[in-house]
Amino acid sequence: ALDNYPVPYLPLCGNHDEPDKLPIGHPMKAAGQPVQKLDLGDMVILGFDNSQRTITAEQIQILQSTLQEGKPVLIAMHIPIMTQGNWDLLQKCGEYFQLNYEGCPAENIQFIEIIRQNADKVIAVTCGHLHFNNVSEVCPGVMQYVSSQGLIGSLSVYEIGE
């Protein structure tokens, strides 16, 4: 089905996925890469594999270099950022459901700070993992959209631009 999809896409890992076990050439094999970059001309989508609740130095470097290119960037990843707007909710869910949990690697916090420092270049952050929809603000001007899995019969569609 993905081979016939009429628009560009980025397959991303969730915490239950194991792309390294897929055969070479499988459309989901790319999901195991630390970062995937989809340049759409007037914007860039960066897909980060944070399925194990970690961000690496390599991922930070790619984020920084892409932001320096000057195009607007949409960030897609699995584990959401705990924000002021979703703090109560994610605290109830537990640290397993947040990227910036107590004692997380320093790279996780650095990643979030880079997003905040570049709010003028980041369109939004999209995530999953929570099993319910949630919208919150990472920082002024940067929203985080968390989508529920499609297994419960819902689909989240976000329109970017005018």
Side-chain angles (χ1 to χ4, degrees):
L2 289 174
D3 285 339
N4 297 320
Y5 205 62
V7 297
Y9 64 90
L10 291 177
L12 298 175
C13 277
N15 53 300
H16 298 285
D17 297 319
E18 300 180 62
D20 54 324
K21 293 185 178 180
L22 294 171
I24 294 173
H26 191 283
M28 290 297 292
K29 187 80 170 169
Q33 297 175 15
V35 181
Q36 296 178 71
K37 183 175 181 179
L38 181 58
D39 190 329
L40 298 175
D42 58 347
M43 68 176 275
V44 174
I45 300 174
L46 287 179
F48 292 90
D49 178 3
N50 73 345
S51 61
Q52 301 304 307
R53 298 181 331 137
T54 59
I55 294 292
T56 65
E58 174 190 9
Q59 290 172 312
I60 288 171
Q61 189 278 323
I62 293 169
L63 174 60
Q64 289 176 315
S65 66
T66 302
L67 288 167
Q68 290 174 357
E69 293 173 9
K71 292 183 182 180
V73 175
L74 175 71
I75 295 172
M77 57 191 185
H78 186 63
I79 310 292
I81 297 167
M82 185 167 55
T83 68
Q84 285 184 336
N86 68 16
W87 191 89
D88 288 339
L89 186 60
L90 290 187
Q91 285 296 103
K92 290 177 188 174
C93 294
E95 69 178 32
Y96 180 71
F97 292 94
Q98 54 199 257
L99 184 62
N100 46 333
Y101 54 93
E102 188 173 332
C104 70
E107 289 85 356
N108 291 19
I109 302 302
Q110 183 182 1
F111 179 82
I112 297 164
E113 285 306 311
I114 292 167
I115 292 170
R116 289 179 175 147
Q117 292 165 3
N118 291 276
D120 60 324
K121 299 173 190 154
V122 177
I123 298 169
V125 177
T126 63
C127 305
H129 192 57
L130 293 183
H131 298 230
F132 53 84
N133 294 323
N134 180 260
V135 177
S136 64
E137 194 174 50
V138 176
C139 63
V142 179
M143 298 304 292
Q144 175 175 256
Y145 300 96
V146 182
S147 297
S148 179
Q149 76 279 20
L151 299 175
I152 59 173
S154 66
L155 175 67
S156 299
V157 176
Y158 303 103
E159 187 173 321
I160 301 169
E162 312 227 0

